[in-house]
Amino acid sequence: MQHVELIARSIAGGATNQGDTMTTILVTGATGDTGRPTVKELLKKGFKTRALARREDDRSQELAALGAEIVYGDMMSLRDIRLAMDGVRRAYFCFPLAEGLVEAGVIFAQAAREQHVEHIVNLSHKQSRSHARSKATQNHWLSEQVFDWSGTPTTHLRITFFAEWLLYISSQIQRGRYAMPYNRESRFAPLAAADIAKIVANILEKPKGHGGQAYQLHGPKEYSHEELAAEVSRVLGVDLPYEHVTVSVFLERLGLENQTALRRHFEAVAIDQQEGRLAGLDDIGVKIIGGPLMTVEDFINANRTHFVLEA
């Protein structure tokens, strides 16, 4: 992995001047589901936004064209993160579902402490706890502790399932199938990444009162998996009966059959779901962003081309 290369992008028509343009905010996972819209939200607010990505691609080029400062680096490299953190006042920490989360958290917390960062928003799991069945979820809990020990004010966002799970199976939905590796009665309230981004950006804009908080966040309406399949069917106008498959079959259909860590995580989450650990509702997100959250119908309509085969 290459070391961080700072690439300043001065693009006419980029960020507006609504926010504190003297404050630089670092967004990790900047080309991912929550990172990319977070960068866009911060640019709208007028912040100098530094986006950390692993490599240059169409997504990073899009963010650069919008006015973000793009940096390329490895979250497992202290040198890279120190360089990416230079001059940063606030930051969003988002790590993929992969090995290395705790080490990356330690590196990020150390670099933030050296830079006297004012506030960090940390993306975590709703079921985060010390005795989690999933190693990935347990590592999120451990990373929360690391940030708290560091002394840098941090907000932990404990998120239920993303609405983006529907995109993960969109190719199946196109073919008239709706299969998930979870019990049909297990409940959750899907939360769109776009809304997570708004929550992150608003906290980073006005962090006062959010330090030391761990927010359990949900979408606007709770469904069982079977009820969600019915809602998707209604919006798309097709018949999509819910199909419960094993985790192994689910990953195989996604071409991820060799991803052992994912299989173990999803198997653990299936039990978490049966125990109700991802269920619930809240009004925290609505209060933070000052408006309603995206419904499942809104999400499907915004991404309809992913669910419908071209004629």
Side-chain angles (χ1 to χ4, degrees):
M1 169 59 64
Q2 61 184 321
H3 291 300
V4 168
E5 177 188 1
L6 296 182
I7 305 177
R9 312 281 188 174
S10 298
I11 306 294
T16 64
N17 293 316
Q18 298 172 11
D20 179 1
T21 56
M22 299 303 292
T23 297
T24 298
I25 298 179
L26 174 64
V27 176
T28 65
T31 57
D33 285 343
T34 65
R36 191 164 65 255
T38 295
V39 171
K40 294 177 182 179
E41 290 292 332
L42 290 169
L43 288 172
K44 288 179 187 176
K45 294 176 180 293
F47 286 101
K48 294 173 63 177
T49 306
R50 185 174 296 163
L52 176 65
R54 289 183 62 85
R55 63 183 65 86
E56 185 173 10
D57 58 21
D58 292 344
R59 298 169 301 175
S60 63
Q61 291 171 357
E62 177 195 8
L63 296 177
L66 292 173
E69 178 188 12
I70 310 300
V71 301
Y72 299 111
D74 186 350
M75 291 182 71
M76 304 299 289
S77 165
L78 179 57
R79 178 185 183 277
D80 284 7
I81 297 302
R82 277 173 167 161
L83 288 170
M85 198 77 75
D86 183 43
V88 166
R89 297 264 54 85
R90 300 167 199 164
Y92 175 45
F93 178 81
C94 175
F95 195 81
L97 189 61
E99 295 290 336
L101 169 59
V102 177
E103 183 178 354
V106 171
I107 288 171
F108 200 82
Q110 177 62 28
R113 184 174 181 178
E114 292 172 357
Q115 193 61 226
H116 306 292
V117 166
E118 299 169 349
H119 199 94
I120 294 171
V121 175
N122 169 43
L123 188 70
S124 187
H125 286 175
K126 165 127 193 261
Q127 68 275 32
S128 171
R129 60 199 191 281
S130 61
H131 55 288
R133 291 183 181 84
S134 163
K135 183 179 179 182
T137 299
Q138 184 184 69
N139 284 346
H140 272 290
W141 182 84
L142 288 169
S143 294
E144 291 179 14
Q145 311 316 301
V146 168
F147 285 119
D148 291 343
W149 297 338
S150 75
T152 301
T154 301
T155 307
H156 307 295
L157 302 184
R158 293 178 172 175
I159 310 290
T160 189
F161 278 158
F162 288 13
E164 274 66 16
W165 268 87
L166 295 174
L167 293 179
Y168 305 157
I169 63 167
S170 60
S171 61
Q172 295 183 46
I173 291 175
Q174 289 176 352
R175 300 191 300 271
R177 302 190 71 173
Y178 190 111
M180 283 284 187
Y182 303 117
N183 184 289
R184 66 183 65 242
E185 288 85 20
S186 297
R187 304 188 68 80
F188 70 108
L191 180 61
D195 285 331
I196 297 170
K198 291 178 182 179
I199 293 168
V200 173
N202 279 31
I203 292 173
L204 291 173
E205 179 185 22
K206 298 177 180 179
K208 185 177 179 180
H210 294 296
Q213 299 296 321
Y215 297 137
Q216 291 195 340
L217 298 176
H218 315 78
K221 183 176 179 179
E222 187 181 80
Y223 299 87
S224 70
H225 281 281
E226 189 168 42
E227 289 168 348
L228 181 57
E231 176 66 359
V232 176
S233 298
R234 182 191 69 80
V235 176
L236 292 176
V238 296
D239 185 26
L240 294 169
Y242 185 75
E243 181 183 354
H244 181 198
V245 297
T246 66
V247 171
S248 295
V249 169
F250 179 75
L251 292 176
E252 183 178 349
R253 289 182 179 179
L254 297 180
L256 300 171
E257 59 270 20
N258 296 322
Q259 299 293 321
T260 303
L262 275 182
R263 178 174 55 78
R264 290 174 178 169
H265 174 65
F266 290 165
E267 288 171 348
V269 171
I271 300 174
D272 287 344
Q273 280 237 288
Q274 289 175 345
E275 294 178 347
R277 295 186 184 276
L278 284 98
L281 291 168
D282 72 279
D283 62 357
I284 298 170
V286 170
K287 289 180 178 178
I288 290 175
I289 69 177
L293 300 175
M294 186 179 291
T295 65
V296 168
E297 182 171 5
D298 293 336
F299 181 84
I300 294 172
N301 287 330
N303 295 279
R304 186 171 281 269
T305 55
H306 292 276
F307 300 109
V308 179
L309 286 172
E310 294 183 3

